[in-house]
Amino acid sequence: MKLSANEEYGLRCLVRIGYAGEGGSLTIPEISQAEGVSPSYAAKILRVLRKGGFVKAARGKEGGYTLARPAEAIVIGNVIDALGGRLFESKFCDSHSGQAAICTRSVDCSVRSLWRAVQVAVDHVLSKATLRDLLQNEEDMNSWVRTIPGPAGLRLVQ
Amino acid sequence: MKLSANEEYGLRCLVRIGYAGEGGSLTIPEISQAEGVSPSYAAKILRVLRKGGFVKAARGKEGGYTLARPAEAIVIGNVIDALGGRLFESKFCDSHSGQAAICTRSVDCSVRSLWRAVQVAVDHVLSKATLRDLLQNEEDMNSWVRTIPGPAGLRLVQ
DNA sequence: GCTAATCTGTACTTTATAGTCAAGATTGCC
DNA sequence: GGCAATCTTGACTATAAAGTACAGATTAGC
Ligand code: FES
Ligand code: FES
């Protein structure tokens, strides 16, 4: 259960573009340098973000990437889904092997129920966060996190 | 953000051994067949579970694997940590690149705050689940999940 | 139209994960 | 002791993910 490189850098690139403000744009070399990844790799990641509909690209001189929508309309959960897929999806149980009593896939499996619960917990946080929320400093973000109803908010406070 | 093969099969193997009951034991060929993985691979996974202190192995004829502790004393969160590591740990931000305003690693990063919140949400589910909880059918497990305070429980009900 | 800056797409290389294999060590039983 | 069933270990191969390279297409400005 790790973040993939796509997820880690993809989200950071998106935040970086968001920092450029309404209509502001950044080029691949700029993003690349800011995030400390190679231009080639940045291009690869930005392609995913573009295909996901989160950024728009302008070619040619004076080109660059800009947000496809206002930051508050970009839900982080959707971004992560585009960059790295979900932890648990319905087809998950079609792909793994094992027949007997536990994982009869689609009949009766307590493990599946647990994964589903974890996915719900993750979604609960990521579906509430928008890019707008990430365009603030860590302290403000921590305050925001505490506003999430439920444990994620509560326990972060310690 | 995917489950690794270790996590997926490791947990299922552990549940399988749990099904053998108090003091009951299973051999690698048995586990392998039940879970539909090769004996070699089952052995590799069981080694991780053994080193994590979740199962004990007996060699020789009449050997096999058995739970190292009662099922209710095995917290699934710990099992997953042993099998696949955590989503977010403090050293996470030491390893990624990028210097400028967002990810100054350890100074001020809203993204980090979000990952931390996700980790907390995951822990909230996995730290409450024990192997005992998984030794029941899916319906009972769903009921159990609903007892988790907060969103994971609530939203699974739909 | 030319040039330089930019994105786009595909193919490639490198590295990490997944999965296999075989030789060795331990134990119970006869 | 000898045998067969079992776990243990490290090295090996295969596959997927991460990261790079490059040739092509688009655009602004002159
Ligand atoms: S059937 Fe998918 S985890 Fe058991
Ligand atoms: S410093 Fe680690 S995610 Fe930004």
Side-chain angles (χ1 to χ4, degrees):
Chain A
M1 202 151 41
K2 292 279 187 195
L3 289 172
S4 69
N6 258 8
E7 289 165 328
E8 177 178 346
Y9 293 119
L11 184 55
R12 282 166 55 186
C13 289
L14 186 63
V15 170
R16 182 72 60 179
I17 295 169
Y19 265 130
E22 283 290 323
S25 88
L26 289 177
T27 66
I28 285 177
E30 285 167 340
I31 295 169
S32 151
Q33 185 170 20
E35 290 304 330
V37 300
S38 74
S40 304
Y41 193 35
K44 190 175 188 175
I45 292 169
L46 285 163
R47 188 186 181 195
V48 179
L49 289 174
R50 174 171 53 88
K51 297 221 162 183
F54 305 110
V55 301
K56 283 181 303 192
R59 291 214 251 192
K61 217 170 178 180
E62 309 292 301
Y65 289 90
T66 184
L67 294 185
R69 296 174 258 155
E72 55 272 23
I74 297 180
V75 176
I76 302 303
N78 296 335
V79 177
I80 299 301
D81 286 353
L83 289 166
R86 297 172 72 71
L87 201 62
F88 178 90
E89 16 196 359
S90 50
K91 60 186 172 185
F92 177 79
C93 291
D94 299 337
S95 62
H96 53 219
S97 42
Q99 282 75 342
I102 307 175
C103 278
T104 16
R105 43 183 137 168
S106 87
V107 181
D108 182 54
C109 176
S110 59
V111 177
R112 170 174 50 189
S113 177
L114 180 69
W115 294 144
R116 206 156 32 199
V118 172
Q119 178 69 65
V120 166
V122 170
D123 286 346
H124 184 250
V125 175
L126 294 185
S127 69
K128 286 195 169 46
T130 69
L131 182 56
R132 175 69 64 207
D133 300 316
L134 286 174
L135 299 182
Q136 49 188 8
N137 65 28
E138 185 165 13
E139 193 181 350
D140 291 340
M141 185 66 192
N142 276 332
S143 306
W144 177 85
V145 164
R146 290 192 200 99
T147 68
I148 304 177
L154 296 175
R155 293 180 44 162
L156 195 56
V157 186
Q158 294 269 4
Chain B
M1 201 152 40
K2 291 281 187 193
L3 288 171
S4 69
N6 258 9
E7 289 166 328
E8 177 178 345
Y9 293 119
L11 183 55
R12 281 167 55 186
C13 289
L14 186 64
V15 170
R16 182 72 58 180
I17 295 169
Y19 265 130
E22 283 290 324
S25 88
L26 291 176
T27 67
I28 285 178
E30 285 167 341
I31 296 170
S32 152
Q33 185 170 19
E35 291 304 329
V37 300
S38 74
S40 304
Y41 192 34
K44 191 174 187 175
I45 292 170
L46 285 162
R47 187 185 181 190
V48 178
L49 289 174
R50 176 171 52 86
K51 296 220 165 186
F54 305 110
V55 301
K56 283 181 302 191
R59 292 214 251 193
K61 219 169 177 180
E62 309 293 301
Y65 289 90
T66 184
L67 294 184
R69 297 174 257 155
E72 56 271 22
I74 297 180
V75 177
I76 303 303
N78 296 336
V79 176
I80 299 301
D81 287 352
L83 289 167
R86 297 172 72 70
L87 201 62
F88 178 89
E89 15 197 359
S90 49
K91 60 185 173 186
F92 177 79
C93 290
D94 299 337
S95 61
H96 53 220
S97 42
Q99 283 74 345
I102 308 174
C103 278
T104 16
R105 42 184 137 168
S106 85
V107 181
D108 181 54
C109 175
S110 59
V111 177
R112 170 173 51 189
S113 177
L114 180 68
W115 293 143
R116 206 157 30 200
V118 172
Q119 177 70 65
V120 166
V122 171
D123 286 346
H124 184 251
V125 175
L126 294 185
S127 69
K128 286 194 172 43
T130 70
L131 181 56
R132 175 69 66 208
D133 300 316
L134 287 173
L135 299 181
Q136 51 188 7
N137 66 28
E138 184 165 14
E139 192 181 351
D140 290 341
M141 186 65 192
N142 276 333
S143 306
W144 178 86
V145 163
R146 291 192 200 100
T147 68
I148 303 177
L154 296 175
R155 292 178 45 159
L156 194 58
V157 185
Q158 291 275 359

